[in-house]
Amino acid sequence: VALNPNGDRVAVGNIFDVTSEVEAQERLNRRLEFESRRKSLWMANLSHELRTPLTALVGYAEMCGELESLDATAAEFIVKIRSTVGLMKAIVENGLDFFRQEAGNDIVLRPTAHDLEVTVDNVVDLLSVRAKDRGIVVRVAKKLGSRRACCLVYDEPRVAQILINLLSNAIKFSPRGGTVKLGLSVGADGRVDVSVADAGIGIARDKLEHIFDPFSQVEGVSVKFGGTGIGLAVCKLHAERMGGSIAVESVENEGSTFRFQATFPVAPAPPPADRAADAAAALARALRSFPRALLSPDDDAL
């Protein structure tokens, strides 16, 4: 406020035209968004390209494991190769799904009839080498109700992905020589409850809220234990897309329990004899088409 020559009080101020600055900021924001989407798309493409040779390696390792001429040492090496490559493939699948989502592309679920108990057993088998190397015992407790209850309609690769992430984390963060507990409960209505408990480093209370956010590993953990920082985010993404949920209870320096819950449609289950015959026929078909089918996995559009 100032006085003019007549002694009147007047307001004095400056007006600036910031249109150019605002437009420049908007252009920068659009550029950054474009670069972020391009980076995510590139990462998704990279993961997609890595998946093909890794799928082939898993298949070759499984076929080598069936050779009767292998001695005990060679057979052990084949098991370790299969386990290591299988875990590498799981990491690639995490990246593929996460960055596909970041790039704005939907993840399409493909539910089909599977035996959930078999899915769980396969995941435990895949991670058995890692657990053995750390002297960790994985104890599995099942509450199935009936044999037929486990035959459900779900996206088997994505459910396996959730289980691999949870179980591998439990093994990684557990002390050597410790125990990891995996619980599986399946109700007659298709309600599924999977829990994975460890007695590892645990999670501080103030970190629990963001534990399922991407790249939110507890400070110092990624340096000591490794990891990509997207495994739990992918678990949450898939669990919610299946209409389920994932949660955690943890006490720092005492351990953590992760729980995945969902309800899947119950599928008609064939008698055990028929199921075994179907599995044998499927294996025979796969061997007849090898290696063309093995080297041509289902490539979803990015």
Side-chain angles (χ1 to χ4, degrees), residues 6 30 62 81 91 100 103 114-115 124 155-156 164 180-181 192-193 217 233 243 266 292 298 301:
N6 296 326
R30 288 195 296 270
E62 289 178 346
I81 290 171
I91 293 171
R100 176 186 284 153
H114 287 279
D115 188 323
V124 173
D155 188 318
E156 200 269 346
I164 289 171
V180 171
K181 299 177 182 178
V192 173
D193 188 328
Q217 286 182 322
V266 177
R292 182 175 60 84
D298 181 20

Side-chain angles (χ1 to χ4, degrees), residues 282-297:
L283 177 60
R285 288 195 300 271
L287 291 175
R288 284 198 299 271
S289 61
F290 182 84
R292 182 175 60 84
L294 182 65
L295 298 177
S296 303

Side-chain angles (χ1 to χ4, degrees), residues 21-249:
E21 286 82 354
V22 171
E23 291 177 346
Q25 184 62 48
E26 290 177 347
R27 288 195 298 271
L28 176 60
N29 290 342
R30 288 195 296 270
R31 179 67 181 176
L32 291 174
E33 182 180 356
F34 171 77
E35 291 295 337
S36 177
R37 286 176 57 84
R38 186 168 69 169
K39 178 191 69 175
S40 295
L41 185 59
W42 181 84
M43 291 298 296
N45 282 329
L46 176 62
S47 299
H48 189 266
E49 292 301 316
L50 287 172
R51 182 174 63 172
T52 301
L54 286 174
T55 300
L57 286 173
V58 170
Y60 282 124
E62 289 178 346
M63 293 194 69
C64 287
E66 298 295 327
L67 296 177
E68 297 180 357
S69 58
L70 292 176
D71 58 28
T73 302
E76 182 181 0
F77 287 160
I78 290 296
V79 170
K80 289 187 175 182
I81 290 171
R82 174 181 172 273
S83 177
T84 302
V85 175
L87 291 176
M88 289 173 62
K89 187 171 181 288
I91 293 171
V92 168
E93 295 289 355
N94 281 344
L96 181 59
D97 285 344
F98 176 77
F99 288 109
R100 176 186 284 153
Q101 180 78 7
E102 286 285 292
N105 297 309
D106 273 342
I107 297 172
V108 179
L109 297 179
R110 291 185 170 84
T112 53
H114 287 279
D115 188 323
L116 185 60
E117 184 181 16
V118 173
T119 300
V120 170
D121 289 343
N122 287 341
V123 169
V124 173
D125 180 58
L126 177 68
L127 291 164
S128 61
V129 172
R130 173 174 288 191
K132 182 179 178 181
D133 287 345
R134 292 181 51 79
I136 291 173
V137 176
V138 178
R139 300 193 183 279
V140 181
K142 301 174 182 177
K143 184 179 179 181
L144 307 179
S146 69
R147 171 67 264 170
R148 182 169 181 170
C150 281
C151 193
L152 305 171
V153 179
Y154 59 97
D155 188 318
E156 200 269 346
R158 264 59 188 251
V159 169
Q161 207 171 338
I162 293 174
L163 300 179
I164 289 171
N165 284 328
L166 297 183
L167 187 55
S168 63
N169 278 352
I171 293 171
K172 177 168 63 175
F173 295 126
S174 291
R176 289 185 176 275
T179 299
V180 171
K181 299 177 182 178
L182 189 155
L184 169 64
S185 174
V186 182
D189 59 352
R191 187 181 297 272
V192 173
D193 188 328
V194 180
S195 63
V196 179
D198 65 68
I201 63 174
I203 306 165
R205 185 184 298 272
D206 61 331
K207 304 293 184 183
L208 281 174
E209 182 180 355
H210 302 289
I211 196 64
F212 293 104
D213 295 343
F215 313 113
S216 63
Q217 286 182 322
V218 177
E219 185 177 356
V221 168
S222 60
V223 175
K224 182 177 180 180
F225 293 94
T228 62
I230 62 174
L232 290 179
V234 170
C235 287
K236 184 173 186 291
L237 170 67
H238 290 334
E240 292 180 349
R241 283 190 172 274
M242 294 172 188
S245 63
I246 189 166
V248 59
E249 296 177 359

